[in-house]
Amino acid sequence: MPRFAYVNGRYVRHADAAVHIDDRGFLFADAVYEVCQIRHGFIVDLTRHLDRLDRSLGEILIRPPMPRAALVGIMKEVLRRNRVTDGMVYLQVTRGTARRDHVFPSPEVRASLVVTAKALSAAAGAEKYAAGIKAVTVPDNRWERVDIKTVGLLPNVLARQQAKEAGAQEAIFVDAEGNVTEGGATNLWIVDKAGRLVTRPADRAILRGITRTTLIDVAAKLGIAVEERRFSVAEMLEAREVFVTGATTICLPVVSIDGHAIANGHPGLTAQKLRDAFFAVAEKTAI
């Protein structure tokens, strides 16, 4: 079955989808994006994702391409055309297409919008969870506004490639003080030696992950306290559990970092409890 995408007012075959070579997302990474999980025919945490999209657009002064209701309608139509009931939907908004110039184009230039979707195997995700993943630490050399979900992800790309070449699946960024920030495409959590669930505060050093936010709600429902504070690489390596969270992975245990086994080298119980309870707590919007 062919895939379909939405590009600036048109639904087109995915293979034929294209933007202009002067699109500012292509030229300058002058764009933001969002990714939502699709599970059992529902868009997960849609309101929070679109609230964050609005924030990202506001932070870099891009006008929304359309009202929210129209955007949701397009997302649902792309999902229907691709027959996705379990997977993801991706949307990207750029400042638009204009003559190459670092300053903003004329206000008459409209933002560009691309929406795509694809199915993901739930079984494959479960297998990855059961095994856990390996990670490596890398210096955090990103710009100082990673709280904005922009498409400027070159440091993340290089970090993820470094992880792959080391036989790992995620890179963990470490700041100049030796404290963990987050993963290359995830937020990071530990269960410390005292059994406390810890994650870094959502300041400008990390992206305020939507899954991260909902998992704090999940933890509250389960009676698990969450401590938002900084923690070092050394504390992470001594933790009872380490796991990463993201829209398409939800909660994924890390069983080895820089070749060092975390606890007994197997996924832990806290991550399992949070993962099992996530979908019941998360907002669900029917396609």
Side-chain angles (χ1 to χ4, degrees), residues 136-142 155 159 162 171-176 179 181:
V136 296
T137 55
V138 297
D140 197 338
N141 58 354
R142 301 170 298 168
Q162 183 176 334
I172 297 172
F173 287 116
V174 180
D175 67 21
N179 293 313
T181 52

Side-chain angles (χ1 to χ4, degrees), residues 28-77:
F28 299 116
D30 190 1
V32 299
Y33 73 102
E34 279 294 332
V35 179
C36 299
Q37 184 198 29
I38 311 303
R39 183 173 178 187
H40 304 327
F42 293 95
I43 306 173
V44 178
D45 284 330
L46 177 61
T47 300
R48 281 176 166 167
H49 279 286
L50 294 184
D51 285 348
R52 185 174 65 181
L53 177 67
D54 286 344
R55 178 185 181 275
S56 294
L57 289 169
E59 289 293 314
I60 65 171
L61 306 177
I62 293 180
R63 290 176 297 173
M66 62 185 64
R68 179 175 292 197
L71 178 58
V72 172
I74 290 168
M75 294 170 67
K76 290 183 176 182
E77 181 62 21

Side-chain angles (χ1 to χ4, degrees), residues 99-123:
R99 178 180 61 86
R100 189 181 190 280
D101 191 348
H102 284 72
V103 300
F104 293 175
S106 163
E108 285 72 39
V109 173
R110 296 188 61 183
S112 295
L113 172 65
V114 172
V115 182
T116 62
K118 67 177 180 180
L120 296 173
S121 168

Side-chain angles (χ1 to χ4, degrees), residues 49-217:
H49 279 286
L50 294 184
D51 285 348
R52 185 174 65 181
L53 177 67
D54 286 344
R55 178 185 181 275
S56 294
L57 289 169
E59 289 293 314
I60 65 171
L61 306 177
I62 293 180
R63 290 176 297 173
M66 62 185 64
R68 179 175 292 197
L71 178 58
V72 172
I74 290 168
M75 294 170 67
K76 290 183 176 182
E77 181 62 21
V78 170
L79 288 164
R80 286 192 291 262
R81 290 187 182 218
N82 288 282
R83 301 181 184 177
V84 174
T85 56
D86 288 282
M88 58 170 280
V89 60
Y90 174 94
L91 55 151
Q92 178 171 307
V93 182
T94 85
R95 202 177 301 277
T97 298
R99 178 180 61 86
R100 189 181 190 280
D101 191 348
H102 284 72
V103 300
F104 293 175
S106 163
E108 285 72 39
V109 173
R110 296 188 61 183
S112 295
L113 172 65
V114 172
V115 182
T116 62
K118 67 177 180 180
L120 296 173
S121 168
E127 289 177 8
K128 182 180 284 190
Y129 179 88
I133 64 169
K134 298 177 181 179
V136 296
T137 55
V138 297
D140 197 338
N141 58 354
R142 301 170 298 168
W143 77 314
E144 295 182 354
R145 291 305 309 277
V146 296
D147 58 300
I148 306 171
K149 197 169 177 68
T150 77
V151 301
L153 296 173
L154 183 57
N156 306 64
V157 168
L158 295 175
R160 274 289 187 95
Q161 181 62 25
Q162 183 176 334
K164 180 181 179 180
E165 292 174 359
Q169 293 77 46
E170 181 59 297
I172 297 172
F173 287 116
V174 180
D175 67 21
E177 288 73 44
N179 293 313
V180 173
T181 52
E182 59 186 341
T186 55
N187 291 131
L188 193 133
W189 306 62
I190 66 171
V191 177
D192 69 11
K193 291 174 67 175
R196 295 170 297 215
L197 181 58
V198 182
T199 192
R200 185 170 176 127
D203 51 22
R204 290 187 175 184
I206 71 167
L207 181 71
R208 186 183 292 272
I210 302 305
T211 302
R212 173 191 181 278
T213 301
T214 298
L215 275 177
I216 291 175
D217 294 342

